[in-house]
Amino acid sequence: MLISEIYVSRQGEGRLTGQESVFVRTSGCNLRCDFCDTPYTSWQPDGRPMTVDGIAAAVGAYPVRYVVITGGEPMLDRNIITLTCNLREAGYHITIETAGTIFREVDCDLMSISPKLSNSTPAVERAGEWSRRHERTRINLSAVQKLIDEFDFQLKFVVIRPDDVVEIQSFCRSLENVIPEKILLMPEGIDQQTLNCRSEWLESLCLQYGYTFCPRMHIRWYGNKRGT
């Protein structure tokens, strides 16, 4: 697997916010989100090849029982099946952070699915053919439904404008077995000022529709930098 970084930090997003975890960040992505905050795993992917055993050994070097496999898009590599099996056998709690475009039979305790809205599509001027490819493949409803049916999950949406909620509602109506409490709305931004401005109206929207507000606490704690 191509690995960008492995590090310990506190989970900054979602249901397990604050939980100390080992983050395994894979490199490589099948999408090109305009607002991607880890371009070193998508737009300009870097990293080093590691075996599943090597990754498991690196995780085991930390005295932490929670593991977050993220990216990029960690479900791209079929080796994630073996990796999560090994981590489960070693007794870890496993979160997988995915855009929900790919389904695999993995071992996972929390599937953190972040479907990409139209606000994620980059302009043709910036991305060329990737703009059309991203827009064409950013949603895979059947894959999302399988992930929801198979795993404990949270649906985490990146929100830029208040009217993004209309698209979120339409998307969720296309799925079965989704309750509002499992829908998390997260403000887009990589600096605290932007997050604060968007949080002012986003928290109100969450209260209005029964969704869960999802702050990006790692930005508040550490700023926008690698290894956090």
Side-chain angles (χ1 to χ4, degrees), residues 2 61 85 179:
L2 189 62
C85 179
I179 58 175

Side-chain angles (χ1 to χ4, degrees), residues 82-100:
T82 305
L83 175 61
T84 57
C85 179
N86 290 1
L87 293 173
R88 170 59 55 80
E89 290 177 353
Y92 289 98
H93 179 284
I94 303 165
T95 297
I96 297 177
E97 297 188 344
T98 176

Side-chain angles (χ1 to χ4, degrees), residues 2 26-34 36 38-45 70-77 96-104 113-116 120-122 127-141 143-144 147:
L2 189 62
T26 66
S27 192
C29 191
N30 57 333
L31 300 177
R32 292 294 184 273
C33 294
D34 190 54
C36 180
T38 57
Y40 50 90
T41 66
S42 59
W43 288 87
Q44 300 94 31
T70 184
E73 176 49 72
M75 298 287 250
L76 274 176
D77 194 321
I96 297 177
E97 297 188 344
T98 176
T101 60
I102 301 167
F103 176 83
R104 296 198 190 280
I113 312 165
S114 183
K116 304 310 176 190
S120 67
T121 302
E129 178 55 33
W130 266 111
S131 176
R132 290 178 282 270
R133 180 174 173 182
H134 176 99
E135 179 61 26
R136 187 172 63 250
T137 61
R138 63 182 172 83
I139 295 295
N140 183 340
L141 277 174
V144 173
L147 293 170

Side-chain angles (χ1 to χ4, degrees), residues 40-219:
Y40 50 90
T41 66
S42 59
W43 288 87
Q44 300 94 31
D46 65 21
R48 61 191 179 101
M50 295 183 67
T51 65
V52 167
D53 288 344
I55 298 168
V59 170
Y62 299 103
V64 178
R65 304 314 298 173
Y66 283 73
V67 177
V68 180
I69 306 176
T70 184
E73 176 49 72
M75 298 287 250
L76 274 176
D77 194 321
R78 289 185 56 84
N79 287 303
I80 193 173
I81 298 172
T82 305
L83 175 61
T84 57
C85 179
N86 290 1
L87 293 173
R88 170 59 55 80
E89 290 177 353
Y92 289 98
H93 179 284
I94 303 165
T95 297
I96 297 177
E97 297 188 344
T98 176
T101 60
I102 301 167
F103 176 83
R104 296 198 190 280
E105 293 284 358
V106 293
D107 287 278
C108 181
D109 297 285
L110 176 61
M111 190 64 70
S112 183
I113 312 165
S114 183
K116 304 310 176 190
L117 304 175
S118 59
N119 64 23
S120 67
T121 302
V124 173
E125 293 77 12
R126 178 189 181 193
E129 178 55 33
W130 266 111
S131 176
R132 290 178 282 270
R133 180 174 173 182
H134 176 99
E135 179 61 26
R136 187 172 63 250
T137 61
R138 63 182 172 83
I139 295 295
N140 183 340
L141 277 174
S142 63
V144 173
Q145 188 64 63
K146 287 181 182 179
L147 293 170
I148 286 172
D149 292 342
E150 291 288 331
F151 303 101
D152 186 16
F153 72 94
Q154 58 188 17
L155 278 173
K156 186 172 61 178
F157 294 94
V158 177
V159 178
I160 296 178
R161 300 173 296 272
D163 59 3
D164 286 340
V165 73
V166 176
E167 191 174 342
I168 292 167
Q169 289 178 306
S170 176
F171 178 85
C172 292
R173 282 196 295 267
S174 301
L175 300 168
E176 297 178 355
N177 305 317
V178 176
I179 58 175
E181 291 79 4
K182 295 249 184 177
I183 301 171
L184 283 59
L185 304 191
M186 180 172 66
E188 190 277 328
I190 57 174
D191 63 86
Q192 197 57 51
Q193 182 178 1
T194 300
L195 293 175
N196 288 343
C197 289
R198 288 179 170 150
S199 295
E200 289 180 4
W201 49 262
L202 186 55
E203 288 189 78
S204 297
L205 276 177
C206 288
L207 287 172
Q208 180 180 349
Y209 293 104
Y211 300 150
T212 299
F213 175 66
C214 179
R216 307 191 74 206
M217 293 303 299
H218 54 292
I219 301 295

